Amino acid sequence: MKYNIAVIPGDGIGPEVTEQAKKALNAIADVYDHTFIYKEALMGACAIDATGNPLPDATIQTCQESDAILFGAIGHPKYDNDPTAKVRPEQGLLKLRKQLGLFCNVRPVKAYDQLIENSPLKKEIIQGTDISIYRELTGGIYFGIKELSDDGKIAFDGCSYSVEEIERIAHLAFKEAQNRRKKLTLVDKANVLETSRLWRKTVTAMANQYPDVTLDFLFVDNAAMQLILNPNQFDVILTENLFGDIISDEASVIGGSIGLLASASIGEKNALFEPIHGSFPQATGKDIANPLASILSAAMLLQHLGLHKEAAAIEKAVEKSLALGITTEDLNKKQAFTTSKVGDFIADYIENQDDSNINFKNIHMGQSTII
Ligand code: IPM
Ligand code: MG
């Protein structure tokens, strides 16, 4: 089959990691006889530099015309340290999410057995963790009214949610729970926030449509604690935009590196796939950033296109790279591989999935041609 993929490399390490995801997709295309037609587009600090606009119209159009969007990362320190900047790279991503209606952000968190020692958390606590975070992505305080008083001394960010906004993502989260271990946890702050009370009321009212799913609730402060005390209690977590942003970064500690967490942002018509890590400016251009989150985002992209065995092939290759320690310095301090070498390995493994040979590692690193 032929698919149009919009590629937004973005800022910082975005281009480097996206390149590795494309290598994986190209290997998939080869093995499973698909054609991926990539169309690159600008967003973020690089787009501001080139056009003055963090999200040029041409990018929106490329995305709207695509079957799926692969995105790298966004952000640049020159904006982070300047609170007076009128135009910011992040505005590009937020506007794209809103414009394309990408309301449902899915962030899977897994404790890989191969990496269990990498997490600063105790092995007994994190072993077996497998959580799917459903974060609402186009509402809440991110998109509320923002104000700054004329004298610059009072700032305001409004947070609003409608029943409709809550229901559409809650349906997807309930369905995900049905396909998994049948537990859904709504994370909110209903003891304080009116919007959270609406979330609770709305989600509670929907529960009878999903009788096989157990629904429970946690306040976000408690959820933040429970996530690292006992992550195995969670199956699917449903939450609003800001809470989801925060707890998904926290949850990445369970996996041992934020460089492993992929995400999908799904709307009615379009879908975007991105690693949850940021642009990691200190690592830019050094070929040291972990590309696995971007590669796993490509696997989520394939799932979305209905290419399940292709997605599984990427996941298997990632597990193999973890098992063999063919990973970047965040996961492998002793003998770190570069970003591009990890990408080469993944692509190579996808192309030659028979790993019965003892020379396997060298062969797959392109260091040997003798089988
Ligand atoms: C994320 C990021 C973004 C967010 C930033 C870059 C605007 O942190 O995708 O989690 O806050 O949503
Ligand atoms: Mg975030």
Side-chain angles (χ1 to χ4, degrees):
M1 286 274 286
K2 197 157 140 183
Y3 301 93
N4 291 312
I5 315 279
V7 179
I8 308 178
D11 303 323
I13 57 166
E16 295 161 53
V17 295
T18 307
E19 202 48 47
Q20 312 315 313
K22 275 171 66 183
K23 280 183 194 165
L25 287 174
N26 290 339
I28 293 289
D30 234 29
V31 175
Y32 297 91
D33 209 13
H34 299 299
T35 306
F36 297 122
I37 301 163
Y38 304 109
K39 192 157 177 205
E40 280 215 8
L42 287 173
M43 183 167 77
C46 59
I48 300 176
D49 292 346
T51 70
N53 182 352
L55 181 65
D57 290 345
T59 299
I60 302 176
Q61 198 183 338
T62 301
C63 290
Q64 280 168 336
E65 289 165 2
S66 71
D67 295 306
I69 306 154
L70 183 67
F71 166 56
I74 206 159
H76 193 285
K78 74 180 171 203
Y79 299 97
D80 295 346
N81 304 329
D82 178 8
T84 62
K86 288 265 174 302
V87 187
R88 306 185 153 274
E90 290 79 3
Q91 288 165 346
L93 178 59
L94 297 177
K95 190 169 162 205
L96 187 69
R97 288 172 178 170
K98 193 73 174 173
Q99 196 102 12
L100 300 182
L102 307 175
F103 64 89
C104 177
N105 183 226
V106 184
R107 299 186 161 185
V109 177
K110 240 170 100 170
Y112 289 92
D113 281 341
Q114 303 91 325
L115 291 180
I116 213 93
E117 308 291 344
N118 279 68
S119 175
L121 303 174
K122 287 202 184 87
K123 184 176 159 185
E124 314 78 82
I125 289 182
I126 57 173
Q127 208 152 35
T129 300
D130 180 2
I131 306 172
S132 188
I133 300 176
Y134 271 58
R135 166 187 175 195
E136 201 290 327
L137 203 60
T138 51
I141 199 164
Y142 270 59
F143 293 96
I145 296 165
K146 298 182 190 308
E147 279 169 5
L148 184 64
S149 64
D150 290 340
D151 63 5
K153 292 197 168 150
I154 303 174
F156 173 85
D157 285 290
C159 178
S160 84
Y161 268 110
S162 67
V163 168
E164 195 203 341
E165 284 174 306
I166 298 166
E167 278 179 349
R168 63 184 178 178
I169 183 167
H171 277 300
L172 297 180
F174 270 114
K175 285 183 189 140
E176 173 81 346
Q178 282 184 319
N179 290 327
R180 292 171 44 104
R181 301 190 307 279
K182 303 191 171 32
K183 183 174 172 192
L184 178 64
T185 304
L186 176 66
V187 169
D188 63 23
K189 189 72 187 169
N191 50 347
V192 176
L193 301 177
E194 205 54 54
T195 41
S196 283
R197 287 192 274 274
L198 188 63
W199 272 84
R200 254 191 210 214
K201 194 170 153 209
T202 307
V203 174
T204 305
M206 293 167 69
N208 61 5
Q209 296 173 51
Y210 303 92
D212 51 336
V213 175
T214 306
L215 174 66
D216 69 356
F217 309 95
L218 274 184
F219 296 140
V220 62
D221 46 353
N222 188 14
M225 186 170 74
Q226 295 298 329
L227 253 181
I228 47 175
L229 273 181
N230 177 15
N232 272 293
Q233 70 185 285
F234 296 108
D235 179 13
V236 180
I237 291 178
L238 169 64
T239 192
E240 61 130 275
N241 204 343
L242 181 63
F243 300 158
D245 179 47
I246 298 167
I247 64 164
S248 58
D249 266 30
E250 184 196 6
S252 75
V253 177
I254 297 168
S257 170
I258 196 167
L260 279 174
L261 257 67
S263 81
S265 303
I266 315 282
E268 305 284 348
K269 296 200 189 84
N270 297 102
L272 175 146
F273 302 84
E274 58 169 313
I276 86 154
H277 61 66
S279 57
F280 196 10
Q282 309 87 313
T284 305
K286 294 189 181 155
D287 208 16
I288 56 170
N290 188 343
L292 294 180
S294 183
I295 291 169
L296 287 167
S297 299
M300 292 184 89
L301 181 154
L302 295 173
Q303 288 282 9
H304 180 76
L305 297 176
L307 304 177
H308 303 294
K309 61 176 185 311
E310 289 85 341
I314 292 192
E315 283 160 12
K316 190 173 160 211
V318 168
E319 292 198 0
K320 205 74 202 179
S321 87
L322 297 177
L324 294 174
I326 300 175
T327 48
T328 43
E329 65 180 31
D330 50 320
L331 296 175
N332 186 349
K333 298 263 177 308
K334 286 198 207 101
Q335 200 211 338
F337 288 81
T338 60
T339 309
S340 42
K341 276 275 183 241
V342 174
D344 289 345
F345 170 80
I346 299 284
D348 194 17
Y349 187 80
I350 293 167
E351 303 252 11
N352 311 282
Q353 289 175 39
D354 176 15
D355 59 6
S356 57
N357 195 287
I358 43 161
N359 254 341
F360 170 76
K361 181 172 165 179
N362 286 341
I363 289 161
H364 280 282
M365 288 310 296
Q367 291 161 3
S368 165
T369 48
I370 306 155
I371 303 209

